[in-house]
Amino acid sequence: MRTLAVLLATLLFAAGLASQPLAARTLSYANFPPASTVPCVQMERWAEEVQKRTNGAITVKTYPGSTLLTARNMLRGVQTGQADIGCISMSYQPGAFPFSFALSQPVGFTSATTASVTLWKMFEKYKPQEFEAVKVVAMFTSAPSNLMSRVPVKTLDDMKGLEIRGAGNLSDVLARLGAVPVSMPMPETPEAVQKGVVKGLLTSFEVLKDMNFAEMCRYQTVMNLPVYPFAVIMNKRTWDSLPKDVQKVIDDLALEQAEWTGKYWDAHVQTALDWSKETYGIEVYDLSEADQSAMMQAVAPLIDAWKVEARTAGLDPEAILKDIETFKAEAEA
Ligand code: 3IO
């Protein structure tokens, strides 16, 4: 049985290699949200840069909008080779990335640029076991999370009992704030908001424009809650089959890509807010100072919960948090 499986795998693998011309290769890159969103904009940028820097030896064929793999089967799909490359929002797999989830704790990131660069540097320094089954080619995070809602939320008290869409750690954040968290990937969220299954969503503001949430959610509350970390992963066999010079191009691009994506994301949040004000007359509320500090107090225990999770995974949470602070300060300097 086992021998047969190995034989089959070998045959399938050989067939896969044979179908690729040696000189030029096309790699498939799957992404789950619509083409208009930042994760897909950074995908196109990465694809262009890799094509340029390998002088056309590598062509990247992109599949935005879950046309090749959905959010829910992205990780497995890349591991099994349904796509060569895929983009994952780590929070969609609670428990799967105990190291990287340090970044989605309330550790005080105020921009996608700083958080993205920090995430990549942390990954490089620690080479965490959680990504052992794949090759990580890029990493970035969203901008800090804020509330977009169909009803005005001007105080923390207004959050109580409100059904809000989040994912992973951001759903835990919602629970700590007294809201009723409902977890789902981004592509399922417009319908949930539209049907009233949830009253709003917690993520970065640029989706007001990119997914037109501003049409349904006219009320925004600035909360500066944690970022969502992303990883762009490549199938291990695909990676191993690439020439060394191509591998170098990809490795050399990673830090720059994190910074490019973070900067684009931060700028795009502002563009989207301006557009939403002009197009739909959205309202943007700031919490009072008292509510802001109450909010930070309410979410602080999440860090302790993460520490327990990290220790269980054999990690040193104190060292990780210290390094995050160092890289954050470096990036902000
Ligand atoms: C996100 C995911 C897909 C498209 C746009 C986005 N903006 C912020 C996120 C973060 C995330 O994964 C999510 O589900 O909120």
Side-chain angles (χ1 to χ4, degrees):
M1 220 22 228
R2 214 197 139 105
T3 339
L4 188 66
V6 170
L7 184 70
L8 250 174
T10 313
L11 276 175
L12 283 173
F13 180 53
L17 281 184
S19 67
Q20 296 283 356
L22 278 180
R25 280 197 60 189
T26 300
L27 302 179
S28 56
Y29 187 156
N31 217 330
F32 64 92
S36 55
T37 61
V38 186
C40 288
V41 173
Q42 75 76 38
M43 167 171 75
E44 296 303 331
R45 192 266 174 178
W46 189 89
E48 271 169 38
E49 289 301 322
V50 168
Q51 279 163 213
K52 240 193 294 180
R53 295 175 193 203
T54 60
N55 301 311
I58 299 294
T59 303
V60 182
K61 172 131 181 57
T62 58
Y63 295 85
S66 297
T67 46
L68 181 57
L69 291 169
T70 65
R72 291 181 192 277
N73 60 22
M74 188 67 66
L75 186 55
R76 184 174 296 268
V78 171
Q79 279 175 17
T80 58
Q82 284 175 275
D84 292 308
I85 306 162
C87 176
I88 57 172
S89 178
M90 294 185 216
S91 299
Y92 296 178
Q93 268 90 26
F97 305 104
F99 173 81
S100 304
F101 284 160
L103 278 287
S104 64
Q105 303 305 318
V107 291
F109 285 117
T110 53
S111 76
T113 309
T114 298
S116 296
V117 168
T118 300
L119 172 59
W120 176 254
K121 288 188 171 171
M122 287 295 292
F123 173 78
E124 282 233 286
K125 174 161 182 177
Y126 282 83
K127 303 261 186 308
Q129 211 194 327
E130 64 203 35
F131 285 106
E132 226 171 35
V134 292
K135 164 70 187 177
V136 178
V137 297
M139 280 184 155
F140 53 88
T141 78
S142 72
S145 294
N146 293 300
L147 185 68
M148 290 154 258
S149 176
R150 296 179 69 152
V151 295
V153 176
K154 299 184 187 181
T155 67
L156 267 193
D157 215 46
D158 293 340
M159 290 274 283
K160 302 273 184 291
L162 210 60
E163 294 90 355
I164 304 290
R165 174 271 167 190
N169 187 65
L170 273 296
S171 284
D172 299 339
V173 166
L174 285 166
R176 303 267 344 158
L177 297 180
V180 179
V182 183
S183 288
M184 70 190 79
M186 190 55 100
E188 297 169 22
T189 307
E191 192 180 320
V193 175
Q194 205 271 324
K195 287 188 171 158
V197 173
V198 294
K199 295 289 190 301
L201 67 154
L202 185 68
T203 189
S204 50
F205 273 148
E206 88 293 341
V207 292
L208 285 169
K209 177 170 194 275
D210 295 346
M211 296 179 71
N212 203 29
F213 278 110
E215 187 179 11
M216 294 185 285
C217 299
R218 301 288 170 96
Y219 307 100
Q220 329 307 335
T221 312
V222 177
M223 303 191 110
N224 283 313
L225 285 166
V227 300
Y228 283 84
F230 287 75
V232 182
I233 54 175
M234 185 185 282
N235 176 280
K236 258 266 170 76
R237 269 170 293 136
T238 301
W239 175 254
D240 291 339
S241 74
L242 293 175
K244 286 280 170 290
D245 55 342
V246 169
Q247 290 185 342
K248 183 167 169 16
V249 164
I250 289 173
D251 280 338
D252 288 351
L253 181 56
L255 177 60
E256 189 194 313
Q257 181 73 13
E259 194 171 11
W260 186 93
T261 304
K263 282 186 176 159
Y264 178 83
W265 208 314
D266 289 327
H268 200 55
V269 163
Q270 197 50 54
T271 305
L273 281 170
D274 294 344
W275 177 88
S276 304
K277 276 179 200 161
E278 266 170 42
T279 312
Y280 295 108
I282 59 154
E283 293 190 39
V284 183
Y285 307 121
D286 286 309
L287 292 175
S288 69
E289 264 177 44
D291 265 3
Q292 272 179 50
S293 56
M295 179 175 71
M296 290 331 286
Q297 263 190 324
V299 301
L302 289 171
I303 298 193
D304 298 316
W306 169 77
K307 284 182 186 172
V308 173
E309 198 188 324
R311 273 191 213 101
T312 307
L315 298 165
D316 178 351
E318 304 300 340
I320 291 170
L321 291 174
K322 191 159 167 276
D323 278 326
I324 288 178
E325 281 313 310
T326 306
F327 285 132
K328 174 154 46 110
E330 254 176 49
E332 280 167 356

